[in-house]
Amino acid sequence: MVADDLIITIALVDDHALFREGLREILESVGDMRIVGEAGDSMSAVTMIADTCPDIVLLDVEIPGDEVTETVSRIRTLSPDTRIIILSMYDGPQLLSRLLGAGIRGYLLKSVHRHELIAAVRSVHEEPTRIVLAVSRNSVAQVEATAAPTLTDKELEVLQLAAHALSNSQIARKLGLAEATVKRHMRNIFVKLNAVSRIDAVNKALAASLIAPRTRGDLD
């Protein structure tokens, strides 16, 4: 018998009761997983997850109610330690990209084998920062090709001021940094954005919605 502190608690969210029943039988057959709640729509799911705070949620992408990214966002707000694995019939890079941006930890096609599902749940539970995907290589390649680069908060501040045509010395004074530090941030930004100039970096950041467009009175 597995000790309670070693049990992986799981919530099932799918509008097909028969599918949920199949998932329950598969997951609870392995001994270290326990289903703590089920729901068939987004509103019930959010309420149930807020009450049970499971380790893992298996979330169908097409449940009735709110759009799936909104449901993901609400779950992460109400139960931030819960990791979300999407189950879907669809292998689309645009949806996958949106959901990864929303903070999911896995995206599995419903055609996966039972051992793949179990392995994904264990993997995401053991390493909360790991992302598990069971989709086509084409979808992964398209997501990787369009993924926005990650800039630190300070790099974003520097770049936002550079978008207002401030010099390095002006940015340094504005942020209370040494000018050499600003130059270092700009070098890092160039590398991450594959930019060849400040204007190129700003344009690429704007295109990726990393910074806000310049508006009158921004620096007032």
Side-chain angles (χ1 to χ4, degrees):
M1 186 169 179
V2 180
D4 285 347
D5 60 343
L6 298 178
I7 292 288
I8 303 172
T9 57
I10 303 169
L12 306 178
V13 182
D14 193 289
D15 59 330
H16 293 94
L18 190 61
F19 184 74
R20 296 200 308 269
E21 183 179 331
L23 287 177
R24 176 186 284 274
E25 290 181 0
I26 290 171
L27 296 170
E28 292 194 332
S29 70
V30 298
D32 63 341
M33 299 181 188
R34 180 184 301 151
I35 308 304
V36 294
E38 297 185 26
D41 62 82
S42 62
M43 184 176 296
S44 300
V46 170
T47 300
M48 177 267 293
I49 291 164
D51 289 339
T52 59
C53 296
D55 297 317
I56 304 289
V57 173
L58 295 178
L59 174 63
D60 176 39
V61 79
E62 281 195 312
I63 55 170
D66 293 332
E67 202 271 337
V68 65
T69 52
E70 174 63 22
T71 302
V72 168
S73 177
R74 293 179 65 195
I75 291 171
R76 296 192 66 218
T77 298
L78 294 170
S79 185
D81 292 332
T82 296
R83 273 82 81 183
I84 302 169
I85 298 175
I86 295 292
L87 299 178
S88 176
M89 294 291 292
Y90 302 103
D91 183 18
Q94 291 184 341
L95 177 60
L96 174 58
S97 181
R98 285 169 47 222
L99 286 165
L100 288 172
I104 66 165
R105 287 289 163 226
Y107 190 106
L108 309 179
L109 295 179
K110 288 186 175 181
S111 57
V112 298
H113 295 290
R114 60 186 295 153
H115 69 270
E116 293 176 290
L117 173 64
I118 293 167
V121 169
R122 285 185 174 145
S123 179
V124 169
H125 178 256
E126 292 167 4
E127 297 185 47
T129 59
R130 173 172 289 183
I131 295 175
V132 177
L133 303 177
V135 295
S136 69
R137 291 187 178 182
N138 180 60
S139 286
V140 174
Q142 289 192 51
V143 169
E144 290 177 343
T146 58
T150 301
L151 301 183
T152 66
D153 290 343
K154 190 59 67 177
E155 287 167 353
L156 289 171
E157 285 185 86
V158 168
L159 192 54
Q160 186 69 67
L161 293 174
H164 290 80
L166 270 64
S167 67
N168 286 344
S169 60
Q170 290 172 319
I171 294 172
R173 287 196 298 272
K174 190 83 174 175
L175 298 179
L177 302 173
E179 187 173 350
T181 301
V182 173
K183 290 180 179 178
R184 175 169 54 81
H185 285 313
M186 288 303 303
R187 286 196 298 269
N188 291 340
I189 290 167
F190 280 18
V191 171
K192 290 180 179 181
L193 298 182
N194 193 28
V196 296
S197 68
R198 292 166 75 94
I199 293 176
D200 187 33
V202 167
N203 287 339
K204 287 182 175 179
L206 287 170
S209 298
L210 297 175
I211 59 175
R214 179 179 179 178
T215 59
R216 186 182 298 277
D218 275 351
L219 297 178
D220 293 345

PDB file of all heavy atoms in Angstrom, residues 15-54:
ATOM      1  N   ASP A  15     -16.264  16.131 -20.642  1.00  0.00           N
ATOM      2  CA  ASP A  15     -17.724  16.088 -20.649  1.00  0.00           C
ATOM      3  C   ASP A  15     -18.289  14.713 -21.011  1.00  0.00           C
ATOM      4  O   ASP A  15     -19.504  14.533 -21.038  1.00  0.00           O
ATOM      5  CB  ASP A  15     -18.301  17.164 -21.577  1.00  0.00           C
ATOM      6  CG  ASP A  15     -17.831  17.022 -23.015  1.00  0.00           C
ATOM      7  OD1 ASP A  15     -16.708  16.537 -23.237  1.00  0.00           O
ATOM      8  OD2 ASP A  15     -18.583  17.421 -23.927  1.00  0.00           O
ATOM      9  N   HIS A  16     -17.426  13.740 -21.255  1.00  0.00           N
ATOM     10  CA  HIS A  16     -17.877  12.386 -21.544  1.00  0.00           C
ATOM     11  C   HIS A  16     -17.624  11.502 -20.320  1.00  0.00           C
ATOM     12  O   HIS A  16     -16.472  11.193 -19.999  1.00  0.00           O
ATOM     13  CB  HIS A  16     -17.171  11.810 -22.763  1.00  0.00           C
ATOM     14  CG  HIS A  16     -17.527  12.517 -24.041  1.00  0.00           C
ATOM     15  ND1 HIS A  16     -16.774  13.554 -24.544  1.00  0.00           N
ATOM     16  CD2 HIS A  16     -18.571  12.350 -24.898  1.00  0.00           C
ATOM     17  CE1 HIS A  16     -17.326  14.000 -25.667  1.00  0.00           C
ATOM     18  NE2 HIS A  16     -18.421  13.287 -25.897  1.00  0.00           N
ATOM     19  N   ALA A  17     -18.704  11.109 -19.653  1.00  0.00           N
ATOM     20  CA  ALA A  17     -18.573  10.330 -18.419  1.00  0.00           C
ATOM     21  C   ALA A  17     -17.867   8.993 -18.670  1.00  0.00           C
ATOM     22  O   ALA A  17     -17.084   8.532 -17.836  1.00  0.00           O
ATOM     23  CB  ALA A  17     -19.954  10.082 -17.813  1.00  0.00           C
ATOM     24  N   LEU A  18     -18.123   8.379 -19.811  1.00  0.00           N
ATOM     25  CA  LEU A  18     -17.505   7.093 -20.119  1.00  0.00           C
ATOM     26  C   LEU A  18     -15.990   7.245 -20.263  1.00  0.00           C
ATOM     27  O   LEU A  18     -15.226   6.378 -19.820  1.00  0.00           O
ATOM     28  CB  LEU A  18     -18.108   6.512 -21.403  1.00  0.00           C
ATOM     29  CG  LEU A  18     -17.743   5.064 -21.738  1.00  0.00           C
ATOM     30  CD1 LEU A  18     -18.221   4.137 -20.629  1.00  0.00           C
ATOM     31  CD2 LEU A  18     -18.356   4.659 -23.075  1.00  0.00           C
ATOM     32  N   PHE A  19     -15.560   8.344 -20.860  1.00  0.00           N
ATOM     33  CA  PHE A  19     -14.126   8.591 -21.003  1.00  0.00           C
ATOM     34  C   PHE A  19     -13.491   8.806 -19.639  1.00  0.00           C
ATOM     35  O   PHE A  19     -12.398   8.297 -19.350  1.00  0.00           O
ATOM     36  CB  PHE A  19     -13.886   9.799 -21.912  1.00  0.00           C
ATOM     37  CG  PHE A  19     -12.445  10.069 -22.204  1.00  0.00           C
ATOM     38  CD1 PHE A  19     -11.729   9.273 -23.080  1.00  0.00           C
ATOM     39  CD2 PHE A  19     -11.787  11.130 -21.592  1.00  0.00           C
ATOM     40  CE1 PHE A  19     -10.382   9.512 -23.346  1.00  0.00           C
ATOM     41  CE2 PHE A  19     -10.445  11.384 -21.854  1.00  0.00           C
ATOM     42  CZ  PHE A  19      -9.747  10.572 -22.732  1.00  0.00           C
ATOM     43  N   ARG A  20     -14.161   9.580 -18.764  1.00  0.00           N
ATOM     44  CA  ARG A  20     -13.638   9.798 -17.419  1.00  0.00           C
ATOM     45  C   ARG A  20     -13.524   8.470 -16.663  1.00  0.00           C
ATOM     46  O   ARG A  20     -12.557   8.235 -15.936  1.00  0.00           O
ATOM     47  CB  ARG A  20     -14.526  10.766 -16.633  1.00  0.00           C
ATOM     48  CG  ARG A  20     -14.588  12.175 -17.186  1.00  0.00           C
ATOM     49  CD  ARG A  20     -15.066  13.170 -16.128  1.00  0.00           C
ATOM     50  NE  ARG A  20     -16.305  12.773 -15.479  1.00  0.00           N
ATOM     51  CZ  ARG A  20     -17.515  13.119 -15.893  1.00  0.00           C
ATOM     52  NH1 ARG A  20     -17.653  13.865 -16.998  1.00  0.00           N
ATOM     53  NH2 ARG A  20     -18.590  12.741 -15.224  1.00  0.00           N
ATOM     54  N   GLU A  21     -14.529   7.619 -16.845  1.00  0.00           N
ATOM     55  CA  GLU A  21     -14.506   6.317 -16.174  1.00  0.00           C
ATOM     56  C   GLU A  21     -13.305   5.496 -16.625  1.00  0.00           C
ATOM     57  O   GLU A  21     -12.632   4.838 -15.820  1.00  0.00           O
ATOM     58  CB  GLU A  21     -15.804   5.571 -16.467  1.00  0.00           C
ATOM     59  CG  GLU A  21     -15.925   4.229 -15.762  1.00  0.00           C
ATOM     60  CD  GLU A  21     -17.238   3.538 -16.057  1.00  0.00           C
ATOM     61  OE1 GLU A  21     -18.237   4.247 -16.318  1.00  0.00           O
ATOM     62  OE2 GLU A  21     -17.268   2.292 -16.041  1.00  0.00           O
ATOM     63  N   GLY A  22     -13.016   5.548 -17.939  1.00  0.00           N
ATOM     64  CA  GLY A  22     -11.851   4.828 -18.455  1.00  0.00           C
ATOM     65  C   GLY A  22     -10.553   5.371 -17.897  1.00  0.00           C
ATOM     66  O   GLY A  22      -9.642   4.606 -17.521  1.00  0.00           O
ATOM     67  N   LEU A  23     -10.443   6.709 -17.822  1.00  0.00           N
ATOM     68  CA  LEU A  23      -9.245   7.317 -17.237  1.00  0.00           C
ATOM     69  C   LEU A  23      -9.075   6.908 -15.776  1.00  0.00           C
ATOM     70  O   LEU A  23      -7.971   6.603 -15.320  1.00  0.00           O
ATOM     71  CB  LEU A  23      -9.325   8.846 -17.336  1.00  0.00           C
ATOM     72  CG  LEU A  23      -9.131   9.474 -18.710  1.00  0.00           C
ATOM     73  CD1 LEU A  23      -9.325  10.984 -18.611  1.00  0.00           C
ATOM     74  CD2 LEU A  23      -7.741   9.164 -19.266  1.00  0.00           C
ATOM     75  N   ARG A  24     -10.180   6.946 -15.039  1.00  0.00           N
ATOM     76  CA  ARG A  24     -10.124   6.571 -13.622  1.00  0.00           C
ATOM     77  C   ARG A  24      -9.590   5.142 -13.460  1.00  0.00           C
ATOM     78  O   ARG A  24      -8.700   4.893 -12.623  1.00  0.00           O
ATOM     79  CB  ARG A  24     -11.515   6.700 -12.994  1.00  0.00           C
ATOM     80  CG  ARG A  24     -11.572   6.236 -11.546  1.00  0.00           C
ATOM     81  CD  ARG A  24     -13.013   6.241 -11.023  1.00  0.00           C
ATOM     82  NE  ARG A  24     -13.452   7.593 -10.725  1.00  0.00           N
ATOM     83  CZ  ARG A  24     -13.237   8.205  -9.564  1.00  0.00           C
ATOM     84  NH1 ARG A  24     -12.566   7.583  -8.604  1.00  0.00           N
ATOM     85  NH2 ARG A  24     -13.698   9.417  -9.370  1.00  0.00           N
ATOM     86  N   GLU A  25     -10.107   4.212 -14.233  1.00  0.00           N
ATOM     87  CA  GLU A  25      -9.679   2.818 -14.119  1.00  0.00           C
ATOM     88  C   GLU A  25      -8.197   2.669 -14.448  1.00  0.00           C
ATOM     89  O   GLU A  25      -7.466   1.937 -13.769  1.00  0.00           O
ATOM     90  CB  GLU A  25     -10.522   1.939 -15.043  1.00  0.00           C
ATOM     91  CG  GLU A  25     -11.963   1.789 -14.598  1.00  0.00           C
ATOM     92  CD  GLU A  25     -12.776   0.901 -15.525  1.00  0.00           C
ATOM     93  OE1 GLU A  25     -12.193   0.397 -16.518  1.00  0.00           O
ATOM     94  OE2 GLU A  25     -13.983   0.715 -15.268  1.00  0.00           O
ATOM     95  N   ILE A  26      -7.745   3.373 -15.493  1.00  0.00           N
ATOM     96  CA  ILE A  26      -6.333   3.288 -15.895  1.00  0.00           C
ATOM     97  C   ILE A  26      -5.424   3.839 -14.797  1.00  0.00           C
ATOM     98  O   ILE A  26      -4.445   3.195 -14.385  1.00  0.00           O
ATOM     99  CB  ILE A  26      -6.095   4.058 -17.204  1.00  0.00           C
ATOM    100  CG1 ILE A  26      -6.745   3.335 -18.382  1.00  0.00           C
ATOM    101  CG2 ILE A  26      -4.601   4.251 -17.462  1.00  0.00           C
ATOM    102  CD1 ILE A  26      -6.747   4.137 -19.671  1.00  0.00           C
ATOM    103  N   LEU A  27      -5.742   5.018 -14.309  1.00  0.00           N
ATOM    104  CA  LEU A  27      -4.848   5.710 -13.380  1.00  0.00           C
ATOM    105  C   LEU A  27      -4.854   5.069 -11.996  1.00  0.00           C
ATOM    106  O   LEU A  27      -3.801   4.937 -11.361  1.00  0.00           O
ATOM    107  CB  LEU A  27      -5.233   7.182 -13.290  1.00  0.00           C
ATOM    108  CG  LEU A  27      -5.058   7.963 -14.602  1.00  0.00           C
ATOM    109  CD1 LEU A  27      -5.680   9.344 -14.500  1.00  0.00           C
ATOM    110  CD2 LEU A  27      -3.583   8.087 -14.973  1.00  0.00           C
ATOM    111  N   GLU A  28      -6.028   4.682 -11.516  1.00  0.00           N
ATOM    112  CA  GLU A  28      -6.069   4.109 -10.174  1.00  0.00           C
ATOM    113  C   GLU A  28      -5.568   2.669 -10.139  1.00  0.00           C
ATOM    114  O   GLU A  28      -5.321   2.130  -9.060  1.00  0.00           O
ATOM    115  CB  GLU A  28      -7.487   4.205  -9.609  1.00  0.00           C
ATOM    116  CG  GLU A  28      -7.895   5.662  -9.327  1.00  0.00           C
ATOM    117  CD  GLU A  28      -9.136   5.775  -8.471  1.00  0.00           C
ATOM    118  OE1 GLU A  28      -9.978   4.848  -8.532  1.00  0.00           O
ATOM    119  OE2 GLU A  28      -9.267   6.794  -7.763  1.00  0.00           O
ATOM    120  N   SER A  29      -5.371   2.056 -11.306  1.00  0.00           N
ATOM    121  CA  SER A  29      -4.866   0.681 -11.341  1.00  0.00           C
ATOM    122  C   SER A  29      -3.382   0.597 -11.006  1.00  0.00           C
ATOM    123  O   SER A  29      -2.883  -0.485 -10.688  1.00  0.00           O
ATOM    124  CB  SER A  29      -5.098   0.073 -12.732  1.00  0.00           C
ATOM    125  OG  SER A  29      -4.253   0.688 -13.702  1.00  0.00           O
ATOM    126  N   VAL A  30      -2.668   1.748 -11.067  1.00  0.00           N
ATOM    127  CA  VAL A  30      -1.213   1.700 -10.868  1.00  0.00           C
ATOM    128  C   VAL A  30      -0.804   1.831  -9.410  1.00  0.00           C
ATOM    129  O   VAL A  30       0.360   1.630  -9.068  1.00  0.00           O
ATOM    130  CB  VAL A  30      -0.496   2.783 -11.709  1.00  0.00           C
ATOM    131  CG1 VAL A  30      -0.742   2.546 -13.184  1.00  0.00           C
ATOM    132  CG2 VAL A  30      -0.933   4.184 -11.310  1.00  0.00           C
ATOM    133  N   GLY A  31      -1.733   2.205  -8.533  1.00  0.00           N
ATOM    134  CA  GLY A  31      -1.441   2.159  -7.101  1.00  0.00           C
ATOM    135  C   GLY A  31      -1.018   3.459  -6.452  1.00  0.00           C
ATOM    136  O   GLY A  31      -1.304   3.684  -5.281  1.00  0.00           O
ATOM    137  N   ASP A  32      -0.305   4.321  -7.184  1.00  0.00           N
ATOM    138  CA  ASP A  32       0.168   5.562  -6.559  1.00  0.00           C
ATOM    139  C   ASP A  32      -0.590   6.788  -7.065  1.00  0.00           C
ATOM    140  O   ASP A  32      -0.124   7.916  -6.916  1.00  0.00           O
ATOM    141  CB  ASP A  32       1.671   5.744  -6.780  1.00  0.00           C
ATOM    142  CG  ASP A  32       2.034   5.882  -8.256  1.00  0.00           C
ATOM    143  OD1 ASP A  32       1.219   5.489  -9.112  1.00  0.00           O
ATOM    144  OD2 ASP A  32       3.144   6.360  -8.551  1.00  0.00           O
ATOM    145  N   MET A  33      -1.742   6.586  -7.670  1.00  0.00           N
ATOM    146  CA  MET A  33      -2.556   7.689  -8.171  1.00  0.00           C
ATOM    147  C   MET A  33      -3.985   7.552  -7.652  1.00  0.00           C
ATOM    148  O   MET A  33      -4.518   6.456  -7.561  1.00  0.00           O
ATOM    149  CB  MET A  33      -2.556   7.710  -9.708  1.00  0.00           C
ATOM    150  CG  MET A  33      -1.176   7.905 -10.302  1.00  0.00           C
ATOM    151  SD  MET A  33      -1.183   7.953 -12.112  1.00  0.00           S
ATOM    152  CE  MET A  33       0.589   7.934 -12.454  1.00  0.00           C
ATOM    153  N   ARG A  34      -4.565   8.719  -7.302  1.00  0.00           N
ATOM    154  CA  ARG A  34      -5.923   8.721  -6.773  1.00  0.00           C
ATOM    155  C   ARG A  34      -6.722   9.851  -7.423  1.00  0.00           C
ATOM    156  O   ARG A  34      -6.259  10.992  -7.479  1.00  0.00           O
ATOM    157  CB  ARG A  34      -5.902   8.917  -5.261  1.00  0.00           C
ATOM    158  CG  ARG A  34      -7.289   8.944  -4.606  1.00  0.00           C
ATOM    159  CD  ARG A  34      -7.180   9.237  -3.136  1.00  0.00           C
ATOM    160  NE  ARG A  34      -6.372   8.230  -2.460  1.00  0.00           N
ATOM    161  CZ  ARG A  34      -5.649   8.468  -1.364  1.00  0.00           C
ATOM    162  NH1 ARG A  34      -5.616   9.680  -0.844  1.00  0.00           N
ATOM    163  NH2 ARG A  34      -4.948   7.497  -0.806  1.00  0.00           N
ATOM    164  N   ILE A  35      -7.910   9.533  -7.909  1.00  0.00           N
ATOM    165  CA  ILE A  35      -8.802  10.542  -8.472  1.00  0.00           C
ATOM    166  C   ILE A  35      -9.553  11.211  -7.326  1.00  0.00           C
ATOM    167  O   ILE A  35     -10.239  10.537  -6.547  1.00  0.00           O
ATOM    168  CB  ILE A  35      -9.804   9.915  -9.463  1.00  0.00           C
ATOM    169  CG1 ILE A  35      -9.070   9.072 -10.518  1.00  0.00           C
ATOM    170  CG2 ILE A  35     -10.640  11.013 -10.123  1.00  0.00           C
ATOM    171  CD1 ILE A  35      -8.017   9.819 -11.296  1.00  0.00           C
ATOM    172  N   VAL A  36      -9.423  12.532  -7.222  1.00  0.00           N
ATOM    173  CA  VAL A  36     -10.045  13.252  -6.105  1.00  0.00           C
ATOM    174  C   VAL A  36     -11.228  14.100  -6.555  1.00  0.00           C
ATOM    175  O   VAL A  36     -11.888  14.720  -5.723  1.00  0.00           O
ATOM    176  CB  VAL A  36      -9.005  14.145  -5.392  1.00  0.00           C
ATOM    177  CG1 VAL A  36      -7.938  13.287  -4.729  1.00  0.00           C
ATOM    178  CG2 VAL A  36      -8.379  15.147  -6.356  1.00  0.00           C
ATOM    179  N   GLY A  37     -11.484  14.140  -7.862  1.00  0.00           N
ATOM    180  CA  GLY A  37     -12.618  14.906  -8.332  1.00  0.00           C
ATOM    181  C   GLY A  37     -12.813  14.761  -9.821  1.00  0.00           C
ATOM    182  O   GLY A  37     -11.864  14.455 -10.554  1.00  0.00           O
ATOM    183  N   GLU A  38     -14.053  14.957 -10.261  1.00  0.00           N
ATOM    184  CA  GLU A  38     -14.379  14.906 -11.684  1.00  0.00           C
ATOM    185  C   GLU A  38     -15.332  16.046 -12.014  1.00  0.00           C
ATOM    186  O   GLU A  38     -16.107  16.497 -11.159  1.00  0.00           O
ATOM    187  CB  GLU A  38     -15.051  13.573 -12.051  1.00  0.00           C
ATOM    188  CG  GLU A  38     -14.173  12.347 -11.838  1.00  0.00           C
ATOM    189  CD  GLU A  38     -14.852  11.067 -12.325  1.00  0.00           C
ATOM    190  OE1 GLU A  38     -15.714  11.174 -13.227  1.00  0.00           O
ATOM    191  OE2 GLU A  38     -14.522   9.988 -11.807  1.00  0.00           O
ATOM    192  N   ALA A  39     -15.273  16.508 -13.254  1.00  0.00           N
ATOM    193  CA  ALA A  39     -16.184  17.555 -13.713  1.00  0.00           C
ATOM    194  C   ALA A  39     -16.370  17.421 -15.213  1.00  0.00           C
ATOM    195  O   ALA A  39     -15.515  16.880 -15.913  1.00  0.00           O
ATOM    196  CB  ALA A  39     -15.656  18.939 -13.362  1.00  0.00           C
ATOM    197  N   GLY A  40     -17.510  17.950 -15.704  1.00  0.00           N
ATOM    198  CA  GLY A  40     -17.812  17.854 -17.125  1.00  0.00           C
ATOM    199  C   GLY A  40     -17.930  19.189 -17.826  1.00  0.00           C
ATOM    200  O   GLY A  40     -18.236  19.237 -19.019  1.00  0.00           O
ATOM    201  N   ASP A  41     -17.719  20.300 -17.105  1.00  0.00           N
ATOM    202  CA  ASP A  41     -17.756  21.621 -17.719  1.00  0.00           C
ATOM    203  C   ASP A  41     -16.791  22.535 -16.981  1.00  0.00           C
ATOM    204  O   ASP A  41     -16.325  22.214 -15.880  1.00  0.00           O
ATOM    205  CB  ASP A  41     -19.174  22.199 -17.692  1.00  0.00           C
ATOM    206  CG  ASP A  41     -19.693  22.395 -16.280  1.00  0.00           C
ATOM    207  OD1 ASP A  41     -19.365  23.416 -15.663  1.00  0.00           O
ATOM    208  OD2 ASP A  41     -20.401  21.492 -15.782  1.00  0.00           O
ATOM    209  N   SER A  42     -16.515  23.690 -17.569  1.00  0.00           N
ATOM    210  CA  SER A  42     -15.468  24.553 -17.028  1.00  0.00           C
ATOM    211  C   SER A  42     -15.817  25.115 -15.652  1.00  0.00           C
ATOM    212  O   SER A  42     -14.964  25.161 -14.755  1.00  0.00           O
ATOM    213  CB  SER A  42     -15.168  25.696 -18.002  1.00  0.00           C
ATOM    214  OG  SER A  42     -16.298  26.516 -18.199  1.00  0.00           O
ATOM    215  N   MET A  43     -17.073  25.539 -15.448  1.00  0.00           N
ATOM    216  CA  MET A  43     -17.447  26.131 -14.168  1.00  0.00           C
ATOM    217  C   MET A  43     -17.329  25.115 -13.035  1.00  0.00           C
ATOM    218  O   MET A  43     -16.745  25.403 -11.971  1.00  0.00           O
ATOM    219  CB  MET A  43     -18.870  26.682 -14.230  1.00  0.00           C
ATOM    220  CG  MET A  43     -19.304  27.395 -12.957  1.00  0.00           C
ATOM    221  SD  MET A  43     -20.954  28.138 -13.091  1.00  0.00           S
ATOM    222  CE  MET A  43     -20.655  29.360 -14.360  1.00  0.00           C
ATOM    223  N   SER A  44     -17.867  23.916 -13.258  1.00  0.00           N
ATOM    224  CA  SER A  44     -17.773  22.859 -12.242  1.00  0.00           C
ATOM    225  C   SER A  44     -16.322  22.473 -12.002  1.00  0.00           C
ATOM    226  O   SER A  44     -15.926  22.196 -10.861  1.00  0.00           O
ATOM    227  CB  SER A  44     -18.570  21.631 -12.674  1.00  0.00           C
ATOM    228  OG  SER A  44     -19.930  21.939 -12.852  1.00  0.00           O
ATOM    229  N   ALA A  45     -15.537  22.464 -13.068  1.00  0.00           N
ATOM    230  CA  ALA A  45     -14.130  22.090 -12.952  1.00  0.00           C
ATOM    231  C   ALA A  45     -13.369  23.067 -12.056  1.00  0.00           C
ATOM    232  O   ALA A  45     -12.621  22.657 -11.156  1.00  0.00           O
ATOM    233  CB  ALA A  45     -13.486  22.038 -14.328  1.00  0.00           C
ATOM    234  N   VAL A  46     -13.547  24.360 -12.301  1.00  0.00           N
ATOM    235  CA  VAL A  46     -12.833  25.369 -11.519  1.00  0.00           C
ATOM    236  C   VAL A  46     -13.221  25.276 -10.044  1.00  0.00           C
ATOM    237  O   VAL A  46     -12.364  25.337  -9.158  1.00  0.00           O
ATOM    238  CB  VAL A  46     -13.117  26.773 -12.083  1.00  0.00           C
ATOM    239  CG1 VAL A  46     -12.589  27.846 -11.143  1.00  0.00           C
ATOM    240  CG2 VAL A  46     -12.484  26.919 -13.471  1.00  0.00           C
ATOM    241  N   THR A  47     -14.508  25.113  -9.758  1.00  0.00           N
ATOM    242  CA  THR A  47     -14.974  24.995  -8.374  1.00  0.00           C
ATOM    243  C   THR A  47     -14.400  23.755  -7.705  1.00  0.00           C
ATOM    244  O   THR A  47     -13.906  23.810  -6.564  1.00  0.00           O
ATOM    245  CB  THR A  47     -16.514  24.929  -8.334  1.00  0.00           C
ATOM    246  OG1 THR A  47     -17.050  26.109  -8.917  1.00  0.00           O
ATOM    247  CG2 THR A  47     -17.012  24.805  -6.901  1.00  0.00           C
ATOM    248  N   MET A  48     -14.439  22.621  -8.411  1.00  0.00           N
ATOM    249  CA  MET A  48     -13.944  21.363  -7.865  1.00  0.00           C
ATOM    250  C   MET A  48     -12.444  21.431  -7.593  1.00  0.00           C
ATOM    251  O   MET A  48     -11.958  20.987  -6.548  1.00  0.00           O
ATOM    252  CB  MET A  48     -14.269  20.223  -8.832  1.00  0.00           C
ATOM    253  CG  MET A  48     -13.746  18.853  -8.424  1.00  0.00           C
ATOM    254  SD  MET A  48     -12.114  18.487  -9.152  1.00  0.00           S
ATOM    255  CE  MET A  48     -12.519  18.375 -10.890  1.00  0.00           C
ATOM    256  N   ILE A  49     -11.703  22.018  -8.509  1.00  0.00           N
ATOM    257  CA  ILE A  49     -10.245  22.084  -8.356  1.00  0.00           C
ATOM    258  C   ILE A  49      -9.865  23.039  -7.232  1.00  0.00           C
ATOM    259  O   ILE A  49      -8.918  22.788  -6.468  1.00  0.00           O
ATOM    260  CB  ILE A  49      -9.591  22.489  -9.688  1.00  0.00           C
ATOM    261  CG1 ILE A  49      -9.749  21.348 -10.694  1.00  0.00           C
ATOM    262  CG2 ILE A  49      -8.115  22.829  -9.503  1.00  0.00           C
ATOM    263  CD1 ILE A  49      -9.511  21.742 -12.129  1.00  0.00           C
ATOM    264  N   ALA A  50     -10.600  24.143  -7.077  1.00  0.00           N
ATOM    265  CA  ALA A  50     -10.343  25.061  -5.967  1.00  0.00           C
ATOM    266  C   ALA A  50     -10.561  24.366  -4.629  1.00  0.00           C
ATOM    267  O   ALA A  50      -9.871  24.650  -3.644  1.00  0.00           O
ATOM    268  CB  ALA A  50     -11.234  26.289  -6.086  1.00  0.00           C
ATOM    269  N   ASP A  51     -11.530  23.444  -4.580  1.00  0.00           N
ATOM    270  CA  ASP A  51     -11.833  22.723  -3.338  1.00  0.00           C
ATOM    271  C   ASP A  51     -10.833  21.611  -3.048  1.00  0.00           C
ATOM    272  O   ASP A  51     -10.485  21.367  -1.885  1.00  0.00           O
ATOM    273  CB  ASP A  51     -13.243  22.123  -3.410  1.00  0.00           C
ATOM    274  CG  ASP A  51     -14.341  23.178  -3.341  1.00  0.00           C
ATOM    275  OD1 ASP A  51     -14.057  24.288  -2.858  1.00  0.00           O
ATOM    276  OD2 ASP A  51     -15.469  22.882  -3.784  1.00  0.00           O
ATOM    277  N   THR A  52     -10.373  20.904  -4.080  1.00  0.00           N
ATOM    278  CA  THR A  52      -9.542  19.705  -3.877  1.00  0.00           C
ATOM    279  C   THR A  52      -8.045  19.958  -4.045  1.00  0.00           C
ATOM    280  O   THR A  52      -7.233  19.202  -3.528  1.00  0.00           O
ATOM    281  CB  THR A  52      -9.971  18.594  -4.848  1.00  0.00           C
ATOM    282  OG1 THR A  52      -9.838  19.072  -6.208  1.00  0.00           O
ATOM    283  CG2 THR A  52     -11.416  18.187  -4.611  1.00  0.00           C
ATOM    284  N   CYS A  53      -7.667  21.000  -4.787  1.00  0.00           N
ATOM    285  CA  CYS A  53      -6.247  21.326  -5.052  1.00  0.00           C
ATOM    286  C   CYS A  53      -5.432  20.085  -5.419  1.00  0.00           C
ATOM    287  O   CYS A  53      -4.465  19.723  -4.733  1.00  0.00           O
ATOM    288  CB  CYS A  53      -5.620  22.020  -3.847  1.00  0.00           C
ATOM    289  SG  CYS A  53      -6.356  23.622  -3.462  1.00  0.00           S
ATOM    290  N   PRO A  54      -5.788  19.418  -6.502  1.00  0.00           N
ATOM    291  CA  PRO A  54      -5.075  18.195  -6.887  1.00  0.00           C
ATOM    292  C   PRO A  54      -3.666  18.494  -7.392  1.00  0.00           C
ATOM    293  O   PRO A  54      -3.359  19.623  -7.776  1.00  0.00           O
ATOM    294  CB  PRO A  54      -5.945  17.639  -8.020  1.00  0.00           C
ATOM    295  CG  PRO A  54      -6.568  18.859  -8.630  1.00  0.00           C
ATOM    296  CD  PRO A  54      -6.829  19.787  -7.478  1.00  0.00           C
TER     297      PRO A  54
END
